[in-house]
Amino acid sequence: MYKQNKYTVLENTSLTKDVYKMILQGDTQYITAPGQFINIALDGKYLRRPISVCDYDGETITILYKVVGEGTEQMKNLPVGTVLDVLTGLGNGYDITKSKKPVLIGGGVGVPPMYNLAKALLENGQSVSVVLGFNTKSEVFYEDEFKAIGVEVFVTTVDGSYGIKGFVTDALKDIDYDYFYTCGPLPMFKAVYNATETSGQFSFEERMGCGFGACMGCSCKTKYGNKRICKDGPVLVKEEIIW
């Protein structure tokens, strides 16, 4: 179930050149699973901006977003105290009951939802490893935050300027895992799909109109029929994906 409500910006700060952290204060009861997202209305913009939930507690939601267009450019300039119209509790989220030794794989702006997922898996008694993939050292964010909650962290950079040189799949070779969760760009998804022998869950990104399944704008084909990324997803299991 989703809910529309008002949220107040408590923090809006930069983590890297293009990635920002925003903390919103308001009702969080409709967020029920890691991997869900919120949809933010912005002045002058017809469509809301869907952003994955990085973390949440009883009264705040933390999101990390990358400035890639006019909407996120507008977001980065919102001052503390701004009141936003937000839909929360969107998407199906990850199922955390599937493994004992999961590996979480986040690429770029696919990193944020891995954080709350890692916390949920730890609370569920699972042994968690995390792979964070970036292009270069200056883009790395949230490594310390993951380490602080007690997970094993591997960082990869394509140019080798930090951590393991290469892609997230290069780190997987040295990790003992029985299941995976991932979020990131489509080329990374295809590489992870081909490099893994276990089952897993992928959180997809699609352009969305409404964000709650009414407009059918983000519908995609799966082995079990058409699914709406915003409502039936964004999380799909490996076995149902058609490339």
Side-chain angles (χ1 to χ4, degrees):
M1 177 186 295
Y2 70 91
K3 181 69 174 180
Q4 181 178 1
N5 220 324
K6 301 295 184 182
Y7 295 80
T8 303
V9 176
L10 296 184
E11 178 183 329
N12 193 18
T13 54
S14 62
L15 299 180
T16 69
K17 177 177 176 291
D18 296 315
V19 176
Y20 285 73
K21 174 182 179 181
M22 179 182 288
I23 299 178
L24 299 170
Q25 183 177 46
D27 186 1
T28 66
Q29 65 176 305
Y30 294 94
I31 303 173
T32 58
Q36 290 185 303
F37 66 96
I38 64 175
N39 223 359
I40 302 173
L42 297 172
D43 289 344
K45 305 299 180 187
Y46 177 69
L47 294 179
R48 293 173 180 263
R49 264 49 183 184
I51 308 288
S52 61
V53 174
C54 175
D55 200 15
Y56 69 99
D57 57 28
E59 60 179 27
T60 64
I61 301 170
T62 299
I63 59 173
L64 309 182
Y65 63 95
K66 185 176 183 179
V67 177
V68 294
E70 292 182 4
T72 44
E73 179 72 28
Q74 186 173 328
M75 283 176 61
K76 83 170 188 179
N77 294 314
L78 294 175
V80 170
T82 301
V83 177
L84 296 173
D85 182 294
V86 181
L87 299 178
T88 66
L90 298 171
N92 59 351
Y94 291 105
D95 182 345
I96 64 171
T97 66
K98 298 297 185 180
S99 64
K100 293 183 179 179
K101 295 184 298 182
V103 61
L104 282 52
I105 309 161
V109 289
V111 166
M114 298 293 103
Y115 183 71
N116 183 253
L117 173 60
K119 291 174 68 175
L121 290 166
L122 289 171
E123 291 175 4
N124 203 36
Q126 298 172 43
S127 177
V128 181
S129 300
V130 178
V131 180
L132 310 177
F134 304 94
N135 289 313
T136 189
K137 182 178 180 179
S138 63
E139 296 179 1
V140 176
F141 63 90
Y142 251 56
E143 177 187 8
D144 292 339
E145 285 80 357
F146 278 99
K147 288 181 176 178
I149 61 175
V151 300
E152 185 178 28
V153 181
F154 300 84
V155 177
T156 66
T157 52
V158 176
D159 65 3
S161 56
Y162 187 78
I164 299 168
K165 178 178 173 58
F167 301 99
V168 292
T169 47
D170 292 299
L172 287 179
K173 303 170 186 176
D174 299 319
I175 301 174
D176 180 24
Y177 64 94
D178 61 5
Y179 198 82
F180 68 87
Y181 299 87
T182 186
C183 185
L186 196 59
M188 187 194 87
F189 275 1
K190 292 182 178 180
V192 169
Y193 184 97
N194 292 324
T196 52
E197 297 182 359
T198 71
S199 182
Q201 298 173 37
F202 295 74
S203 180
F204 282 81
E205 296 180 358
E206 287 285 345
R207 288 188 175 275
M208 299 178 185
C210 65
F212 47 83
C215 72
M216 305 301 289
C218 62
S219 180
C220 70
K221 291 182 178 179
T222 75
K223 292 178 182 177
Y224 308 117
N226 290 333
K227 291 194 173 184
R228 297 159 294 179
I229 291 299
C230 71
K231 186 172 179 64
D232 305 312
V235 178
L236 302 178
V237 297
K238 183 179 182 180
E239 291 75 15
E240 67 183 312
I241 296 170
I242 300 174
W243 294 119

